[in-house]
């Protein structure tokens, strides 16, 4: 406790918890307050000066559902294998930079200091444990893999940034994939840079289409298709059959003239009446809102598409 008091600022602003706080460095040699330290999974991980080297090892030191927190120190965390979160009730966070203002629409746009990716052809982080929280990290998936794969209940991903531009285009590249039964997923306050022939930022169509994906919210995110992308982004969100109670609200989808988002939500694989709600989303000009098998499958409320200068300044979408 004296250590936290000594450091102040972020060191004293970790998520409130009665559990332990473990620290993970981005490389075996790292610096804190101008001093060099060596990260190792042989350390105890209980202070920034004695950090672990991998997220997977830190998770394995946690106790389920007691409030344990893992802090990823600033730097490029590039692991040689998928990091699996298989202990329930763990919070994983980076150093906070752009927490959204309460009541404000749209996520912060500053990239986070802890970047996560993998040197393998694999998903970067797989979450199989329920009650997991991930926040304040910069996620870079590798080609034909997911940045975060979700399988579980009550998983909260928020205040993260995603880079889906730096890899070779592949329709199997996802920011967040859903490949197992998932209920109460919440994705909020994230900033996404994408574009090109990539898969969806959020996608449950890559796995078994009969999985349960339900009672989940995607809200208050900023998704941008960059001019550097070589092609249009086919769909940002893809939801297959088996979904119900999905709310997509208060998101901004931004395109440039160089590359555009063709479609916000590909829902044609889902056939349950009223199972997906699109409320108060803003779209760039030329972007389509959704595709469905039947109009009764989706509920629409106050979604607007931008118009070019001289137009109406935004048009209510009814389909």
């Amino acid at each position: 406790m004296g250590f936290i008091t000594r450091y102040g600022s972020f060191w004293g602003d970790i998520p409130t918890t009665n559990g332990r706080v473990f620290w993970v460095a981005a490389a075996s040699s790292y610096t804190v307050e101008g001093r060099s330290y060596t990260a190792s999974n042989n350390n105890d991980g209980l202070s920034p000066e004695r950090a672990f080297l991998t997220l997977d090892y830190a998770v394995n030191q946690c106790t389920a559902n007691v409030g344990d927190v893992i802090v990823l120190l600033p730097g490029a965390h590039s692991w040689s294998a998928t990091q699996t979160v298989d202990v329930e009730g763990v919070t994983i966070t980076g150093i906070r930079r752009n927490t959204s203002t309460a009541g404000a629409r749209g996520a912060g746009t500053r990239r986070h200091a802890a970047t996560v990716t993998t040197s393998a052809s694999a998903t970067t982080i797989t979450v199989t444990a329920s009650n997991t929280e991930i926040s304040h990290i910069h996620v870079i998936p590798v080609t034909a893999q997911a940045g975060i794969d979700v399988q579980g209940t009550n998983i909260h991903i928020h205040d993260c940034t995603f880079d889906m531009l730096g890899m070779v285009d592949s329709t199997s590249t996802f920011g967040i994939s859903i490949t197992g039964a998932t209920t109460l997923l919440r994705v909020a306050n994230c900033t996404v840079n994408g574009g090109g022939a990539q898969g969806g930022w959020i996608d449950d169509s890559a796995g078994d289409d009969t999985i349960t994906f339900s009672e989940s919210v995607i809200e208050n995110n900023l998704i941008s298709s960059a001019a550097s992308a070589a092609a249009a982004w086919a769909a940002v969100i893809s939801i297959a059959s088996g979904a119900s109670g999905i709310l997509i609200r208060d998101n901004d989808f931004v395109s440039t003239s160089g590359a555009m988002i063709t479609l916000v939500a590909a829902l044609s694989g889902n056939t349950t009446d009223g199972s997906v709600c699109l409320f108060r989303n803003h779209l760039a000009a030329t972007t389509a809102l959704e595709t469905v098998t039947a109009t009764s499958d989706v509920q629409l409320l106050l979604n607007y598409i931008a118009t070019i200068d001289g137009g109406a300044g935004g048009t209510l979408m009814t389909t």
Side-chain angles (χ1 to χ4, degrees):
M1 297 301 294
F3 185 88
I4 293 176
T5 303
R6 167 192 166 197
Y7 271 78
S9 64
F10 176 80
W11 311 114
D13 191 35
I14 57 175
T16 303
T17 182
N18 60 343
R20 293 172 297 175
V21 179
F22 294 105
W23 304 79
V24 178
S28 57
S29 178
Y30 67 103
T31 302
V32 172
E33 285 199 335
R35 293 186 293 274
S36 296
Y37 299 96
T38 299
S40 170
N41 289 340
N42 292 320
N43 292 341
D44 64 14
L46 292 173
S47 85
E49 298 168 331
R50 303 187 303 276
F52 292 138
L53 191 54
T54 63
L55 172 62
D56 189 80
Y57 187 84
V59 170
N60 289 334
Q61 308 316 302
C62 294
T63 302
N65 296 316
V66 298
D68 284 352
V69 174
I70 298 171
V71 181
L72 302 183
L73 287 166
H77 297 252
S78 181
W79 300 299
S80 59
T82 298
Q83 305 295 288
T84 301
V85 182
D86 53 4
V87 176
E88 289 193 1
V90 173
T91 294
I92 299 164
T93 183
I95 302 296
R96 302 181 183 189
R97 279 190 167 182
N98 69 333
T99 302
S100 300
T101 303
R105 179 188 174 104
T109 56
R110 186 175 181 184
R111 202 188 87 165
H112 293 293
T115 296
V116 298
T117 190
T118 177
S119 59
S121 179
T123 295
T124 304
I125 299 174
T126 296
V127 182
T128 61
S130 298
N131 307 321
T132 298
E133 179 181 5
I134 298 176
S135 67
H136 300 95
I137 61 175
H138 182 64
V139 182
I140 305 176
V142 297
T143 299
Q145 302 293 334
I148 301 174
D149 182 68
V150 173
Q151 309 166 33
T153 300
N154 193 30
I155 294 170
H156 190 190
I157 300 170
H158 66 92
D159 293 287
C160 292
T161 49
F162 289 79
D163 180 4
M164 297 181 63
L165 287 172
M167 66 291 298
V168 176
D169 282 0
S170 169
T171 55
S172 298
T173 301
F174 309 112
I176 300 170
S177 62
I178 301 162
T179 61
T182 299
T183 303
L184 298 176
L185 170 66
R186 288 160 291 169
V187 182
N189 304 331
C190 294
T191 299
V192 184
N193 289 320
Q198 307 290 12
W201 169 47
I202 298 176
D203 188 288
D204 87 326
S205 65
D208 183 354
D209 287 353
T210 63
I211 65 172
T212 301
F213 176 36
S214 62
E215 310 306 322
S216 297
V217 180
I218 302 167
E219 65 179 349
N220 212 45
N221 302 290
L222 172 61
I223 301 96
S224 177
S225 177
S228 59
W233 198 358
V236 174
I237 300 169
S238 295
I239 297 176
S241 61
S244 64
I246 309 300
L247 176 60
I248 303 170
R249 69 179 179 192
D250 296 317
N251 301 286
D252 294 331
F253 299 88
V254 180
S255 293
T256 68
S257 58
M260 67 177 185
I261 297 171
T262 303
L263 178 66
V264 166
L267 311 174
S268 57
N270 199 49
T271 56
T272 305
D273 289 354
S275 56
V276 179
C277 301
L278 289 158
F279 291 178
R280 302 188 304 269
N281 296 288
H282 293 167
L283 287 65
T286 74
T287 297
L289 180 61
E290 41 78 16
T291 57
V292 291
T293 301
T295 56
S296 59
D297 294 341
V298 65
Q299 301 180 49
L300 305 180
L301 175 66
L302 297 179
N303 298 284
Y304 284 87
I305 187 169
T307 53
I308 302 301
D309 185 24
T315 302
L316 179 66
M317 304 188 75
T318 58
T319 182

